[in-house]
Amino acid sequence: MSTLVDTPVQDWRESAAGWRDRLLASPKFRRWAATFPLTRPIARRRAGALFDLVAGFVYSQVLLAGVRLRLFDLLADGPLTEAELALRLGLPREGIARLLGASVALKLVRPRTGGRFGLGPLGAALVDNPAITEMVLHHTMLYADLADPVALLRGERAERALAHYWPYAETERPADLTDAQVAAYTRLMAASQPLVSGEILDAYDLRRHRRLMDVGGGDGSFLCAAAARAPKLALTLFDLPAVAARAESRFAAHGLSGRAQAVGGDFSRDSLPKGADVISLVRVVHDHDDATVAKILAAARAALPVGGTLLLAEPMAGTSGAEAMGDAYFGLYLLAMGSGRARTPAVLTELLHAAGFARVRQVATHTPLLTGLLVAKLD
Ligand SMILES: C[S@@+](CC[C@H](N)C(=O)[O-])C[C@H]1O[C@@H](n2cnc3c(N)ncnc32)[C@H](O)[C@@H]1O
């Protein structure tokens, strides 16, 4: 960003960027770059990246078709021919040929000997993976909301499917939501929770703590995973009343009722129960605008003792190698949902400092694309 008085270095950078933009925008230069041996590989890579943006929606629809038809589960039992697949999936020959051609190109499926098709490297990762398949299936709402992306950006789309799906994002009194209103998103969160719980629990050892309170903890899936890693840890879950009731049932089903309590409430109005020496906020902060985040962090601060720890885990903007996930995917997803945004670790750190937390450090996770982790202390 240019300041009021640009330094000579900034001036130079600005003119270099302007010159590069003019060059890349020139059809004549692009034609030359595509044929000149030294620039050809770069030009091809850029054309490929650009075309992936142009066609990305279609790639997602191929994936959606495969997931809906349970193609990958079927191929997990062994390779099949096109005719066998047509029969099993109830598709005409033309339809299955198109789906297989597209799926091979996208590495979801791989041709095998004897005219058969088996799992490709990406399709194999979808087998027995409700975390990803449920995410893919619920994206139909996102596609509907993005049918006119400009209208969404202008704030002109009054009816948004994702706003109904995540009703706490826009309602005045989230604590009044019923079980029917929280059921679908809570199930999706439980299905996708294994993607993140392993990441967080591998990065941070909870055995040093007495009681963990998971705020916005959904149906308790994260706490159940934490309980298995830290057998002496006592557990509290705080979520909207209808969600906390679901967590209560999960704790009972996992034989954790003696160790875990679920408390219902609204973290933007109510105080949080005391007694935990560590609080986690897993995939919670990115759902909310700064004012609500400030309230959540203030409530967490008030609930923790001096020396207490806060874990903030979620996908973060600006993550190296996953930049598109934070600002492009979550940016538009959360806009359609009605509140929140992905934030960089630096912005989250500022919010934590503003709420009175200190010694904020980023702890590396195996797959930062899925979740980053910040650990903060209360001095
Ligand atoms: C995106 S989900 C994450 C759930 C869980 N932490 C996970 O990672 O699977 C956000 C959670 O915050 C809860 N939540 C949203 N607004 C809330 C509020 N005002 N008070 C308490 N919980 C709230 C939701 O009910 C939901 O369970």
Side-chain angles (χ1 to χ4, degrees):
M1 187 189 290
S2 108
T3 51
L4 280 179
V5 183
D6 283 350
T7 64
V9 174
Q10 281 170 328
D11 275 348
W12 178 84
R13 280 206 188 128
E14 274 302 309
S15 11
W19 175 80
R20 186 204 54 208
D21 290 352
R22 279 193 297 282
L23 202 60
L24 291 176
S26 144
K28 200 167 150 205
F29 172 78
R30 289 201 302 269
R31 264 195 312 278
W32 173 82
T35 50
F36 183 63
L38 287 182
T39 50
R40 197 186 301 144
I42 305 171
R44 278 196 187 157
R45 237 187 358 261
R46 289 245 166 87
L50 182 62
F51 201 78
D52 279 345
L53 288 186
V54 173
F57 178 78
V58 179
Y59 302 164
S60 300
Q61 301 312 300
V62 172
L63 175 65
L64 176 61
V67 169
R68 269 201 185 150
L69 291 164
R70 306 187 65 84
L71 170 66
F72 312 109
D73 293 333
L74 193 57
L75 293 179
D77 294 334
L80 294 167
T81 63
E82 192 180 292
E84 287 166 335
L85 279 165
L87 203 64
R88 302 278 288 273
L89 299 178
L91 285 183
R93 286 302 286 271
E94 178 60 19
I96 190 67
R98 297 277 170 156
L99 177 62
L100 288 173
S103 302
V104 167
L106 295 174
K107 299 188 171 54
L108 292 163
V109 165
R110 193 179 261 165
R112 300 286 174 84
T113 54
R116 294 169 313 150
F117 293 86
L119 289 169
L122 299 185
L126 293 166
V127 176
D128 270 338
N129 192 343
I132 301 284
T133 51
E134 292 300 319
M135 293 297 275
V136 169
L137 291 172
H138 103 292
H139 273 159
T140 48
M141 289 177 284
L142 179 58
Y143 304 145
D145 290 347
L146 285 174
D148 184 345
V150 177
L152 182 68
L153 291 165
R154 288 200 172 119
E156 291 169 356
R157 278 188 79 91
E159 276 304 308
R160 281 168 284 111
L162 281 177
H164 286 287
Y165 188 76
W166 303 98
Y168 59 76
E170 289 192 331
T171 182
E172 275 294 302
R173 300 201 67 89
D176 294 344
L177 292 173
T178 62
D179 181 67
Q181 288 172 299
V182 304
Y185 80 73
T186 301
R187 269 198 298 270
L188 174 68
M189 287 295 94
S192 62
Q193 182 51 230
L195 284 180
V196 289
S197 57
E199 296 280 328
I200 300 165
L201 298 170
D202 283 351
Y204 187 87
D205 189 353
L206 282 163
R207 285 174 303 179
R208 69 190 86 170
H209 292 287
R210 243 180 334 94
R211 177 176 287 274
L212 166 65
M213 174 158 63
D214 193 26
V215 173
D219 79 343
S221 297
F222 176 67
L223 284 185
C224 289
R229 295 278 188 112
K232 293 196 181 130
L233 192 66
L235 312 159
T236 302
L237 179 136
F238 186 91
D239 206 299
L240 298 171
V243 182
R246 287 181 161 251
E248 201 82 72
S249 314
R250 179 176 279 265
F251 293 147
H254 280 71
L256 285 171
S257 294
R259 242 177 106 185
Q261 54 170 174
V263 180
D266 173 351
F267 52 44
S268 61
R269 289 168 187 258
D270 304 327
S271 48
L272 297 172
K274 291 203 162 131
D277 58 332
V278 55
I279 287 181
S280 49
L281 288 165
V282 180
R283 302 191 291 183
V284 168
V285 169
H286 62 17
D287 278 356
H288 300 281
D289 299 331
D290 287 1
T292 306
V293 173
K295 287 182 191 164
I296 301 171
L297 295 180
R301 184 193 161 164
L304 278 173
V306 171
T309 304
L310 183 86
L311 307 178
L312 195 166
E314 61 186 31
M316 293 178 192
T319 297
S320 173
E323 289 84 355
M325 197 65 173
D327 284 321
Y329 174 79
F330 278 107
L332 291 206
Y333 186 109
L334 294 170
L335 182 67
M337 180 175 121
S339 74
R341 65 194 166 99
R343 297 175 176 87
T344 61
V347 169
L348 289 166
T349 300
E350 269 175 37
L351 292 170
L352 285 162
H353 283 156
F357 287 92
R359 287 187 278 150
V360 183
R361 66 191 167 95
Q362 189 170 7
V363 176
T365 54
H366 298 307
T367 322
L369 166 86
L370 297 174
T371 187
L373 175 61
L374 295 180
V375 179
K377 285 285 189 186
L378 201 57
D379 284 338

